[in-house]
């Protein structure tokens, strides 16, 4: 049998190359693992933040705060808001008058239609605009139709 001998310098180069490549591979694996952990932590933090924001936005307190924050523009747009809400009901606006008082702007409205539609309108209005109060004034029947007079004002 013939014996194969590897020169000493070549053997040292092979072993040192293997060690260096193994060390570089281990460093790359550690770096990739650290990047993956950072990415997972960032994703988890973003998910927690999104869940927290969803809980806050869904809360009644947030809805009240946003409704209150937008009431400055809402008060000046009372007529438009009321007309949009009445548009989906079987109610007809007979008269509408905007009045300015010490407490702010109020709207006196007379509608004709069914009492059930009026109550539906009032319920929806109070849900959407909790800082406004609707005060019924008069209920009368004219020409076979029910006429309802009410005032909308800030509480």
């Amino acid at each position: 049998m013939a014996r194969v001998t590897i020169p000493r310098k070549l053997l040292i180069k092979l072993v040192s190359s293997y060690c260096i490549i193994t060390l570089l591979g281990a460093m790359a694996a550690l770096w990739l693992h650290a990047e993956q952990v950072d990415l997972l932590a960032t994703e988890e933090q973003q998910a927690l933040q999104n869940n927290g924001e969803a809980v806050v936005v869904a809360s009644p307190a947030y809805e009240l705060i946003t409704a209150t924050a937008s009431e400055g523009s809402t008060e000046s747009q009372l007529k438009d808001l009321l007309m949009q809400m009445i548009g989906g009901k079987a109610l007809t606006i007979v008269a509408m008058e905007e009045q300015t008082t010490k407490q702010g702007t109020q709207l006196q409205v007379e509608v004709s239609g069914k009492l059930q539609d009026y109550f539906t309108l009032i319920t929806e209005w109070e849900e959407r605009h909790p800082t406004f109060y609707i005060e019924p004034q008069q209920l009368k029947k004219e020409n076979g139709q029910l006429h309802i007079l009410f005032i909308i004002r800030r509480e």
Side-chain angles (χ1 to χ4, degrees):
M1 293 189 126
R3 200 166 183 196
V4 178
T5 57
I6 300 177
R8 184 175 174 96
K9 286 186 179 183
L10 181 62
L11 185 62
I12 291 173
K13 284 183 182 181
L14 286 173
V15 169
S16 62
S17 295
Y18 174 78
C19 290
I20 290 173
I21 290 173
T22 304
L23 185 61
L24 287 175
M27 287 174 36
L30 284 174
W31 179 76
L32 288 173
H33 178 72
E35 288 295 314
Q36 182 182 18
V37 167
D38 288 345
L39 181 62
L40 289 174
T42 303
E43 287 177 359
E44 186 175 330
Q45 180 181 6
Q46 185 64 39
L48 286 173
Q49 183 177 355
N50 290 344
N51 290 341
E53 287 174 0
V55 167
V56 169
V57 169
S59 73
Y62 180 80
E63 291 176 9
L64 181 62
I65 289 169
T66 55
T68 305
S70 66
E71 288 302 328
S73 63
T74 303
E75 191 169 284
S76 65
Q77 300 170 348
L78 270 176
K79 288 181 183 179
D80 294 333
L81 292 170
L82 183 64
M83 289 174 66
Q84 286 175 357
M85 291 185 74
I86 287 180
K89 312 286 180 286
L91 294 171
T92 305
I93 298 176
V94 176
M96 186 182 304
E97 181 183 346
E98 191 171 343
Q99 302 167 342
T100 305
T101 63
K102 292 177 185 175
Q103 291 82 16
T105 303
Q106 70 180 23
L107 195 59
Q108 184 173 352
V109 182
E110 183 178 348
V111 295
S112 66
K114 294 182 180 180
L115 194 58
Q116 180 180 358
D117 291 325
Y118 167 75
F119 286 134
T120 303
L121 171 72
I122 300 307
T123 303
E124 289 177 7
W125 180 270
E126 289 175 348
E127 287 175 358
R128 291 184 189 174
H129 309 287
T131 59
F132 284 97
Y133 175 71
I134 297 180
E135 182 180 326
Q137 296 292 311
Q138 186 177 26
L139 183 65
K140 61 184 176 181
K141 195 165 193 174
E142 287 182 13
N143 300 331
Q145 291 187 346
L146 187 63
H147 286 257
I148 305 162
L149 181 68
F150 60 94
I151 294 177
I152 300 175
R153 67 171 164 231
R154 187 180 291 278
E155 286 189 51

